[in-house]
Amino acid sequence: MTDLVPVRRALLSVSDKAGLADLAAALGRHGVELVSTGGTAKALRDAGHTVLDVADLTGFPEMMDGRVKTLHPTVHGGILAVRDDERHVAAMDAHSIGGIDLVVVNLYPFAATVAKGAPREEIIENIDIGGPAMVRSAAKNHAFVGIVTEPQDYAALIEELDANDGATTLALRKRLAATAFAHTATYDGMIAQWFAFADQGKLFPDTLPLTATLSAELRYGENPHQQAALYLPAGPASRGIAQAEQVQGKALSYNNINDADAALDLVAEFREADPTCVIVKHANPCGVATAATLTAAWDAALACDSVSAFGGIVALNRPLDGATAEAIASIFTEVVVAPDADADARAIFAKKKNLRLLLTGELPDPARGGLMMKTIAGGWLAQTRDNGRITKDDLKVVTTRTPSDAELADALFAWTIAKHVKSNAIVYAKGGATAGIGAGQMNRRDSSRIAAVRAREAAEANGWSEPRTVGSAVASDAFFPFADGLISAAEAGATCVIQPGGSIRDDEVIAAANEAGLAMLFTGMRHFRH
């Protein structure tokens, strides 16, 4: 396997013309013959370069609306020939095939065509055939041929040509070959996804092609002995934490990203609501509130559990203002997520060099579809996103007492938050703010008791005469299998309960609610979150 390979002839056929003129100029400095097709050839000529058309090389014109132009032995023989194999060299001589030492190809803009909502016929025409064939041929024969598929690699190629008198090294060719196979794999993956999900309408295709690109290697994973990285979808995707602009602060960790995603996912539920603040710790909300201003929402959310909020993640449904930034900066906060931030807020946070500020633009649609993936030993689990939502019209009153308007509003607020709390989940809410949250327990009774304890601690910390659970609504992410969890909620002062229903002991639980004078609503929908 040869190290230095002089580049005497290069074939260029690119959809993305970025950097093409500079690359051609560099190749020209080294006397490289340029071969090209269609629009690329025109762009090169317009830039003053001499170009040989592929049709001149093959003796066949481009035909069938450009579908057939490079699929020819003269092209692929020139790319695939093993230059130190006498039989290959003899075949090249016998058929007048000249060697192609460099292939510069990027493919038809399939993803962009899909993203702009093009009709099916146009999408099909943007499935590249000749391009991937040339890319794979050159990558396979990287011992003798360089392959460049990404414009960002032009600089490295030019630097190497200049350093080696117009030759490429094996090390660069190997790296570019790996990039090229990833390029075609990603391209084919996006096509397969479109056919499966969009064209065929399948929810769970027989083969699930996953394509992603490395965005960043992270300091470590959940723990220092684990390695971690952030990948982004290679094709069109909804915006989220992964696409947010980091305005300031040190690099995000694995846990920061995971918690910020949980916070954004929850605050997005309130994107059409009054100013709302979400505080998350270890992917669970520890305080949520909606108020007339962001500052008031922050104060109410923090009051729910100021201990857990220390070192937490804050997400807001409105652009961050200076007053709210000043309030948030009063305690140690890891990350703040908001659609935007004004100049005052940015200036205040600039004094907190370690605090990360992430700006997301428009909040994601909580009703969006899509699949969620989880790795397990030996495979993956896939499920649709939990985008289930309920309104007042979906609720069924199952107790003698009907909830008041205030109780109903608190119940729906608590229910929305419970959807984002790890099971078993219990959420008390009153007046548009959480009063106590119990998460991740093995039984629902303990979640109720933990949430009540948090509420009592909050009352003591804030000097309230009683916990905010008194007169609150309480939400349970799944049905109460026994009356004990409901009784614990009543003992904490809740006056309204919202839960899915569906237990074989529903009658027993309803009777306990009636005995305690509670109003209870069934949603008919549960929100397990493991």
Side-chain angles (χ1 to χ4, degrees):
M1 191 175 286
T2 307
D3 184 11
L4 289 176
V5 172
V7 178
R8 300 184 177 90
R9 174 182 282 177
L11 193 158
L12 300 89
S13 180
V14 294
S15 171
D16 182 354
K17 306 293 191 296
L20 179 63
D22 290 340
L23 175 61
L27 294 173
R29 289 198 304 271
H30 295 286
V32 179
E33 181 183 39
L34 304 182
V35 181
S36 192
T37 65
T40 306
K42 181 180 184 303
L44 290 169
R45 290 191 180 104
D46 289 347
H49 300 287
T50 300
V51 182
L52 181 67
D53 286 322
V54 166
D56 296 330
L57 196 70
T58 64
F60 280 84
E62 294 185 17
M63 61 183 71
M64 302 176 185
D65 298 319
R67 283 190 171 200
V68 179
K69 50 191 173 185
T70 60
L71 296 170
H72 191 278
T74 303
V75 173
H76 286 276
I79 298 172
L80 282 166
V82 177
R83 311 303 164 81
D84 59 5
D85 186 314
E86 293 181 358
R87 296 168 302 164
H88 286 214
V89 174
M92 292 174 75
D93 290 341
H95 298 285
S96 301
I97 297 173
I100 296 173
D101 311 304
L102 175 67
V103 174
V104 181
V105 169
N106 51 61
L107 309 176
Y108 292 171
F110 178 83
T113 304
V114 172
K116 72 178 185 180
R120 188 178 192 277
E121 294 75 15
E122 184 178 347
I123 291 172
I124 296 299
E125 284 307 310
N126 275 276
I127 297 175
D128 205 331
I129 302 301
M134 289 189 292
V135 170
R136 290 173 60 82
S137 295
K140 175 177 179 177
N141 203 28
H142 63 269
F144 305 98
V145 181
I147 170 63
V148 183
T149 54
E150 307 288 352
Q152 56 263 38
D153 285 325
Y154 291 173
L157 172 64
I158 293 169
E159 181 180 350
E160 187 144 301
L161 292 172
D162 290 343
N164 297 294
D165 195 24
T168 60
T169 64
L170 178 60
L172 178 66
R173 295 194 303 275
K174 287 171 67 176
R175 180 176 74 78
L176 293 176
T179 300
F181 279 118
H183 187 76
T184 56
T186 298
Y187 192 75
D188 285 341
M190 288 189 290
I191 293 170
Q193 287 180 41
W194 177 81
F195 268 106
F197 297 120
D199 191 57
Q200 302 298 308
K202 288 191 173 183
L203 184 58
F204 300 111
D206 296 335
T207 298
L208 180 62
L210 299 176
T211 53
T213 57
L214 180 66
S215 174
E217 290 191 27
L218 307 177
R219 296 198 307 273
Y220 51 80
E222 285 185 288
N223 302 289
H225 64 275
Q226 295 174 268
Q227 295 176 298
L230 172 65
Y231 282 85
L232 302 181
S238 59
R239 286 182 57 82
I241 285 298
Q243 290 78 25
E245 174 194 1
Q246 183 171 352
V247 175
Q248 67 158 70
K250 59 185 180 181
L252 292 164
S253 71
Y254 179 98
N255 290 333
N256 291 153
I257 295 171
N258 187 57
D259 290 349
D261 177 67
L264 178 63
D265 204 29
L266 173 49
V267 84
E269 299 273 6
F270 298 93
R271 68 177 187 166
E272 305 298 334
D274 288 338
T276 299
C277 175
V278 169
I279 308 174
V280 162
K281 193 71 171 290
H282 296 171
N284 273 308
C286 58
V288 183
T290 295
T293 66
L294 276 184
T295 306
W298 157 259
D299 289 339
L302 178 64
C304 178
D305 187 353
S306 58
V307 174
S308 297
F310 185 84
I313 311 291
V314 176
L316 308 166
N317 71 339
R318 299 289 175 85
L320 178 65
D321 58 82
T324 307
E326 191 77 57
I328 294 172
S330 66
I331 72 166
F332 171 54
T333 301
E334 290 275 9
V335 181
V336 176
V337 182
D340 203 348
D342 67 20
D344 289 342
R346 294 177 189 232
I348 290 166
F349 277 4
K351 301 172 186 176
K352 300 281 187 178
K353 294 185 178 180
N354 289 333
L355 189 155
R356 294 89 156 182
L357 175 60
L358 302 181
L359 304 182
T360 63
E362 184 180 5
L363 298 179
D365 180 2
R368 69 190 184 279
L371 290 182
M372 300 179 68
M373 304 289 295
K374 180 179 179 180
T375 58
I376 58 171
W380 294 265
L381 287 172
Q383 65 173 343
T384 57
R385 288 190 69 258
D386 182 3
N387 56 8
R389 310 182 87 192
I390 61 167
T391 66
K392 290 189 293 185
D393 294 337
D394 300 313
L395 300 175
K396 179 182 179 182
V397 179
V398 296
T399 49
T400 303
R401 188 168 77 80
T402 299
S404 67
D405 289 343
E407 287 174 326
L408 184 59
D410 285 338
L412 287 170
F413 181 81
W415 177 256
T416 301
I417 295 160
K419 172 182 172 183
H420 295 265
V421 178
K422 296 294 178 67
S423 300
N424 287 311
I426 293 292
V427 176
Y428 294 88
K430 182 179 180 181
T434 51
I437 299 173
Q441 298 305 302
M442 286 67 73
N443 65 72
R444 206 154 297 279
R445 181 197 62 187
D446 285 352
S447 289
S448 296
R449 290 174 174 174
I450 288 171
V453 168
R454 294 285 181 270
R456 290 196 296 271
E457 291 175 343
E460 293 173 3
N462 291 284
W464 300 332
S465 60
E466 60 184 13
R468 287 196 299 198
T469 50
V470 176
S472 68
V474 61
S476 173
D477 63 336
F479 59 67
F480 285 102
F482 301 97
D484 55 358
L486 180 134
I487 292 169
S488 293
E491 290 172 347
T495 58
C496 180
V497 177
I498 184 169
Q499 59 135 318
S503 168
I504 59 173
R505 293 184 175 85
D506 273 350
D507 290 344
E508 176 186 329
V509 174
I510 293 170
N514 282 326
E515 185 176 347
L518 304 177
M520 187 156 64
L521 304 160
F522 279 5
T523 66
M525 177 186 295
R526 80 175 190 194
H527 285 303
F528 273 160
R529 194 177 186 89
H530 291 296

